[in-house]
Amino acid sequence: MEWDSNSDLSGDEDEGFLLNDGGPLPFPVQNLLQTAPCGFVVSDALEPDHPIIYVNTVFEMITGYRAEEVLGRNCRFLQCRGPFAKRRHPLVDSTVVSEIQRCLEEGVEFQGELLNFRKDGSPLMNRLRLTPIYGDDETITHVIGIQFFTEANIDLGPVPGYSIKESMKSSDRSRSGFSALHPVVVGDRNVCRGVCGILQLSDEVLSLKILSRLTPRDIASVGSVCRRFYELTKNEDLWRMVCQNAWGCETTRVLETVPGAKRLGWGGLARELTTLEAAAWRKLTVGGAVEPSRCNFSACAVGNRVVLFGGEGVNMQPMNDTFVLDLNSSNPEWQHIQVSSPPPGRWGHTLSCVNGSHLVVFGGCGRQGLLNDVFVLDLDAKPPTWREISGLAPPLPRSWHSSCTLDGTKLIVSGGCADSGVLLSDTFLLDLSMEKPVWREIPVAWTPPSRLGHTMSVYGGRKILMFGGLAKSGPLRFRSSDVFTMDLSEEEPCWRCVTGSGMPGAGNPGGIAPPPRLDHVAVSLPGGRILIFGGSVAGLHSASQLYLLDPTDEKPTWRILNVPGRPPRFAWGHSTCVVGGTRAIVLGGQTGEEWMLTELHELSLASSVI
Amino acid sequence: MAFTWSKTIYMGLDPIFLTELSISIIIFSTIASSKKSRVSKIKTADNEIFEVEEAVATMSNTIKIMAGDCSGGVIPLNNVHSTIFARVIEWCKKHVDDGEDLEYYKGALKNCDATFFEVDQAVLYHLLTTANSLDIKPLLHQGCQRFVDMINGKTVEEIRQLLHIKNDFTNEEEDETRKKLWSSVVGMNSFILL
């Protein structure tokens, strides 16, 4: 039903009210309109109580009632003062009302003047003309009302029907949820036509139930809307709730341990982690030594401590010692940890953080071949202890697979290189919060090509993103820049291709994807974005260029991030770890081969004082 | 109430047991039928009386508590108007069997309840205040989610227009807030789209 409502201001008496072809009123309305702007109402005479089926914008503007509020109602509500009054106001002349009723019953035209009220209760004189419209069989199908409104000079006092229970002081407003029914105020008609409902809510409801559910970016916008919102969004507790709702409990818990986080506040932290305005490369020199020197070890952070395990020694022998670097101390230095019953030595394994302060090692290549055992290190035990987890039905032994931790308690491993060089593409899950953990393969109908040296990152709660690696392509292997995601909260999780190249049916890559690579670094940012850099990169590209992807976007697009500071020349996935969710610590990034672990490079995402 | 016993089924049963069984069935069905027809009478601020099924009315914790105090009489709601109350009851009738899971209601906001909240801001405000004072958590949750959805992803000016909020900053204050806007930060500009 389309109404060309702007044309009734044409002012020419001979022109009819323009209706689109096929409009619902099959009658001409010439001579019904006056030269001044007037309200125009059509009601359905065949329905009980003559409900309104159309009002024009002049009606809306003058009475303050929007079309949605009045369609379906009888026009008599205009005789009630304000939207909540149920009875006709006593000053409305009841003889005129009876005259209207008589005319409608007899099917003749009515002309007269009647007192009406706007939505805000102010009085209007309505010079009204009601015209019945006859259908084909002599019954009245519609009644047209034309209203010429003028101001009525009557002082009526305050609008009844609103009870203000408590005082309107803002302190009272914030104490309880809703203290009063405020009279609704129609804003300046020239600027905002509508009523502002949201600002009438109390601070408590606004903050706890509405603002806390917005994303950090939205809160930043909301803070610039008006003074009240500006004040509300300065609140640290609100920001903390916003961060927790947006990033999850696990991430927020980790961020609380960031040194300098208190000084930055949750608002500042949210801003820096979203805009990445404070991201910078830094160089760190630490003491101690990791000896005998090695490569292909694994590094992972627990709180602010970096833990290093295993690796391949100079004689290619697998090592099994554990080192810890405490970045919280004023002079951090590598310390060799004496542990009882360390796992068998290995390289090409994965080390991940679980259950808050534990580290779990899986797979790798040991003295006697590939491994598929699981060991957990409790760093806070005295002395720190490695404990074997005999999980039932373990996956195939492998090295250079990828791992990640879901919900802080579940270890996920995928792909890698099995015996005789076969590449794998399976995904296994081990729930370490259970008494007797059991390995479970995640059944999927289709897997991406098998690969090693890829990364798996967790985002958006229970989704994983797989990137890069050395992937199988027929009889050959190529470095990949494909992105695949899987939502583990689904009933039947499946791999989906996000951006990339060469895959049949691949989505259009947005932006320029990072050059294909393996053994790179993937950092999960709060809010779901993934930062990629480093690795063994095809071609002559710099390994330290940063690439950013938001898989939750409608159309995920790769973006390049330029940050100040001197980046490392190399960065490897197995020897880089993320501390406190905001600092990526790159070990041995100076040269590709000799491992100088006293010179560290750090990509810090938030400006925290070390 | 009349019921017939099938001779073949019950022939083997002890007559005393049968009598006890039939009495307990009569009692049980009387309770059941009276539960079905129990109706709450609620009077709104403008003296309109609503007769609402108890199960529907007690979705409001406030009404539930007041019903206990009034024991069968009319429950007075002094700060709820009938037009709003009618809408709230319409919502409650729809959701009487839907339980307490707030996530479900958030989802329902996109489906069956989508049009319920497409109302004038004043009505939305009154729905929220009523849901709060009547303590109907799922309705309050949905109403607030509606505001969240309206703000989600919008620019500052769009938020003002959508929610009819007047810009009450002075020019100096507005310059300050503009500097603090995240999109104005240099770091964002380093997201070079190649």
Side-chain angles (χ1 to χ4, degrees):
Chain A
M1 173 167 154
E2 280 193 351
W3 295 89
D4 187 4
S5 57
N6 284 331
S7 60
D8 58 349
L9 300 177
S10 60
D12 190 334
E13 257 192 324
D14 292 331
E15 266 182 31
F17 185 79
L18 295 171
L19 299 169
N20 285 336
D21 285 339
L25 294 188
F27 47 79
V29 293
Q30 295 99 328
N31 302 323
L32 289 182
L33 298 180
Q34 302 176 342
T35 45
C38 50
F40 187 78
V41 175
V42 181
S43 56
D44 188 341
L46 294 175
E47 289 289 316
D49 207 28
H50 292 205
I52 294 176
I53 57 170
Y54 170 76
V55 296
N56 68 348
T57 32
V58 175
F59 177 94
E60 286 181 306
M61 274 166 49
I62 296 186
T63 64
Y65 287 101
R66 297 250 298 278
E68 306 86 272
E69 300 176 80
V70 306
L71 293 177
R73 295 166 71 177
N74 180 285
C75 220
R76 71 172 70 87
F77 68 88
L78 286 171
Q79 299 161 24
C80 305
R81 192 177 172 214
F84 296 125
K86 290 290 274 190
R87 298 186 206 307
R88 187 195 321 151
H89 194 273
L91 283 180
V92 175
D93 191 344
S94 51
T95 54
V96 177
V97 177
S98 317
E99 178 68 13
I100 292 176
Q101 281 168 349
R102 187 190 65 78
C103 289
L104 286 176
E105 264 159 48
E106 289 176 13
V108 298
E109 196 177 87
F110 164 86
Q111 286 200 48
E113 206 166 57
L114 189 63
L115 178 65
N116 277 167
F117 298 91
R118 286 198 186 92
K119 189 172 173 182
D120 64 0
S122 53
L124 289 170
M125 276 320 280
N126 177 2
R127 190 141 38 99
L128 177 64
R129 185 165 156 191
L130 292 175
T131 307
I133 302 292
Y134 286 83
D136 292 330
D137 54 353
E138 300 301 308
T139 50
I140 299 176
T141 54
H142 299 87
V143 178
I144 304 219
I146 297 177
Q147 302 123 334
F148 183 55
F149 290 108
T150 49
E151 293 297 330
N153 292 323
I154 308 173
D155 178 22
L156 298 160
V159 181
Y162 294 103
S163 59
I164 299 184
K165 302 204 95 170
E166 291 171 28
S167 79
M168 297 256 294
K169 283 188 290 197
S170 55
S171 55
D172 287 339
R173 227 195 293 162
S174 54
R175 209 189 310 143
S176 62
F178 296 81
S179 52
L181 277 178
H182 303 217
V184 286
V185 174
V186 178
D188 182 356
R189 278 196 202 90
N190 293 331
V191 175
C192 64
R193 268 178 55 190
V195 169
C196 176
I198 193 172
L199 285 183
Q200 313 225 29
L201 299 172
S202 71
D203 285 354
E204 187 190 355
V205 172
L206 258 183
S207 292
L208 288 181
K209 297 216 183 287
I210 298 178
L211 298 181
S212 67
R213 293 192 217 165
L214 292 170
T215 64
R217 222 182 266 262
D218 286 332
I219 293 283
S221 302
V222 161
S224 299
V225 165
C226 66
R227 275 216 174 109
R228 176 125 176 260
F229 279 158
Y230 179 73
E231 290 302 319
L232 285 175
T233 55
K234 287 205 295 202
N235 186 307
E236 264 302 290
D237 291 327
L238 172 65
W239 274 107
R240 191 185 193 287
M241 273 192 286
V242 167
C243 290
Q244 191 154 313
N245 287 338
W247 302 337
C249 292
E250 192 58 35
T251 310
T252 332
R253 191 187 55 79
V254 167
L255 286 171
E256 265 173 330
T257 64
V258 170
K262 287 219 174 6
R263 183 184 57 83
L264 205 54
W266 283 102
L269 203 58
R271 180 189 161 115
E272 290 192 351
L273 290 175
T274 304
T275 63
L276 296 180
E277 67 199 55
W281 282 108
R282 266 194 265 270
K283 222 163 147 185
L284 281 182
T285 308
V286 300
V290 174
E291 267 157 15
S293 64
R294 67 209 53 212
C295 63
N296 295 339
F297 49 83
S298 260
C300 183
V302 171
N304 285 300
R305 290 172 290 181
V306 175
V307 177
L308 187 157
F309 173 75
E312 192 178 350
V314 283
N315 300 329
M316 295 194 344
Q317 84 272 30
M319 332 237 345
N320 71 348
D321 35 5
T322 315
F323 292 82
V324 174
L325 176 70
D326 187 352
L327 289 173
N328 259 352
S329 79
S330 42
N331 291 317
E333 54 179 31
W334 284 108
Q335 283 177 347
H336 181 251
I337 300 281
Q338 294 290 347
V339 295
S340 45
S341 55
R346 62 193 69 207
W347 45 265
H349 50 287
T350 52
L351 194 64
S352 309
C353 185
V354 287
N355 296 335
S357 57
H358 292 55
L359 288 167
V360 58
V361 114
F362 171 74
C365 184
R367 210 174 292 266
Q368 274 126 16
L370 295 174
L371 302 161
N372 63 354
D373 50 0
V374 178
F375 280 81
V376 173
L377 172 69
D378 184 353
L379 203 59
D380 292 326
K382 295 193 173 24
T385 321
W386 282 102
R387 196 171 46 98
E388 181 164 13
I389 305 278
S390 43
L392 291 175
L396 286 172
R398 60 191 69 198
S399 62
W400 300 115
H401 48 283
S402 71
S403 76
C404 62
T405 313
L406 197 72
D407 297 337
T409 57
K410 302 176 183 63
L411 176 70
I412 301 187
V413 303
S414 141
C417 183
D419 277 317
S420 58
V422 168
L423 289 181
L424 301 166
S425 62
D426 50 3
T427 313
F428 275 79
L429 186 143
L430 183 69
D431 189 347
L432 288 164
S433 62
M434 291 171 48
E435 272 284 334
K436 293 199 197 312
V438 176
W439 280 104
R440 193 174 64 85
E441 180 165 12
I442 297 177
V444 284
W446 172 83
T447 60
S450 29
R451 58 195 65 215
L452 62 84
H454 50 294
T455 52
M456 280 210 302
S457 317
V458 176
Y459 72 98
R462 311 196 86 228
K463 302 190 181 85
I464 50 180
L465 183 146
M466 180 162 80
F467 173 73
L470 188 73
K472 184 169 186 299
S473 177
L476 301 173
R477 296 173 178 192
F478 292 115
R479 286 183 183 81
S480 154
S481 60
D482 297 334
V483 180
F484 300 94
T485 59
M486 181 192 272
D487 187 351
L488 288 168
S489 57
E490 288 176 352
E491 280 274 339
E492 295 180 355
C494 60
W495 284 110
R496 291 191 176 89
C497 189
V498 176
T499 60
S501 56
M503 285 301 304
N508 289 328
I512 292 194
R517 57 192 68 203
L518 72 138
D519 199 15
H520 52 278
V521 181
V523 179
S524 289
L525 299 178
R529 291 177 301 175
I530 313 279
L531 193 62
I532 304 278
F533 65 94
S536 166
V537 182
L540 293 170
H541 299 96
S542 157
S544 55
Q545 178 70 272
L546 301 173
Y547 293 86
L548 195 71
L549 181 73
D550 189 349
T552 62
D553 267 348
E554 279 281 335
K555 296 197 179 132
T557 307
W558 284 107
R559 287 176 163 84
I560 287 183
L561 189 64
N562 290 321
V563 308
R566 293 260 296 271
R569 283 175 57 216
F570 302 95
W572 310 108
H574 62 268
S575 58
T576 304
C577 59
V578 181
V579 172
T582 59
R583 303 153 70 183
I585 305 285
V586 177
L587 302 176
Q590 245 347 83
T591 68
E593 289 173 20
E594 264 186 80
W595 297 97
M596 295 216 337
L597 296 179
T598 49
E599 300 279 315
L600 313 181
H601 284 82
E602 172 191 312
L603 174 64
S604 63
L605 300 171
S607 62
S608 42
V609 177
I610 303 168
Chain B
M1 50 174 279
F3 42 83
T4 52
W5 293 109
S6 166
K7 250 170 121 180
T8 48
I9 298 173
Y10 294 105
M11 243 173 30
L13 292 177
D14 173 50
I16 297 177
F17 170 75
L18 265 181
T19 327
E20 287 177 347
L21 184 63
S22 52
I23 291 175
S24 50
I25 289 179
I26 292 173
I27 295 174
F28 179 77
S29 51
T30 326
I31 295 174
S33 56
S34 69
K35 258 211 173 104
K36 260 188 246 168
S37 61
R38 204 184 286 179
V39 150
S40 302
K41 289 211 185 76
I42 295 151
K43 185 168 81 150
T44 55
D46 49 332
N47 293 324
E48 271 225 18
I49 308 256
F50 284 78
E51 293 204 358
V52 182
E53 255 187 56
E54 194 184 41
V56 172
T58 51
M59 282 186 77
S60 153
N61 281 326
T62 310
I63 291 181
K64 200 173 180 180
I65 295 170
M66 289 171 87
D69 296 338
C70 291
S71 51
V74 176
I75 302 168
L77 295 179
N78 293 326
N79 54 358
V80 181
H81 200 273
S82 58
T83 42
I84 296 295
F85 188 69
R87 279 183 196 251
V88 169
I89 289 299
E90 175 197 325
W91 184 95
C92 290
K93 278 190 192 146
K94 199 155 86 165
H95 290 287
V96 64
D97 292 322
D98 284 340
E100 291 277 322
D101 179 18
L102 293 179
E103 275 306 306
Y104 164 78
Y105 288 100
K106 186 169 164 189
L109 185 60
K110 294 195 175 22
N111 312 314
C112 51
D113 292 326
T115 47
F116 184 81
F117 286 100
E118 277 163 14
V119 290
D120 179 79
Q121 296 251 336
V123 175
L124 184 57
Y125 162 72
H126 283 293
L127 280 175
L128 250 60
T129 57
T130 306
N132 193 57
S133 65
L134 291 184
D135 195 7
I136 310 174
K137 287 191 176 50
L139 179 58
L140 182 63
H141 191 84
Q142 272 193 343
C144 292
Q145 186 63 39
R146 168 96 181 116
F147 273 123
V148 170
D149 292 340
M150 283 168 84
I151 296 173
N152 187 22
K154 304 277 190 313
T155 65
V156 173
E157 202 41 58
E158 284 170 343
I159 294 174
R160 284 192 190 127
Q161 291 206 7
L162 206 56
L163 298 178
H164 309 304
I165 297 177
K166 207 167 146 200
N167 177 4
D168 57 355
F169 288 116
T170 63
N171 283 335
E172 298 81 44
E173 285 169 343
E174 188 144 24
D175 287 337
E176 278 303 307
T177 60
R178 200 170 292 126
K179 277 190 228 152
K180 291 208 176 91
L181 272 179
W182 290 11
S183 53
S184 71
V185 164
V186 168
M188 289 293 281
N189 295 337
S190 74
F191 281 40
I192 301 168
L193 279 171
L194 292 182

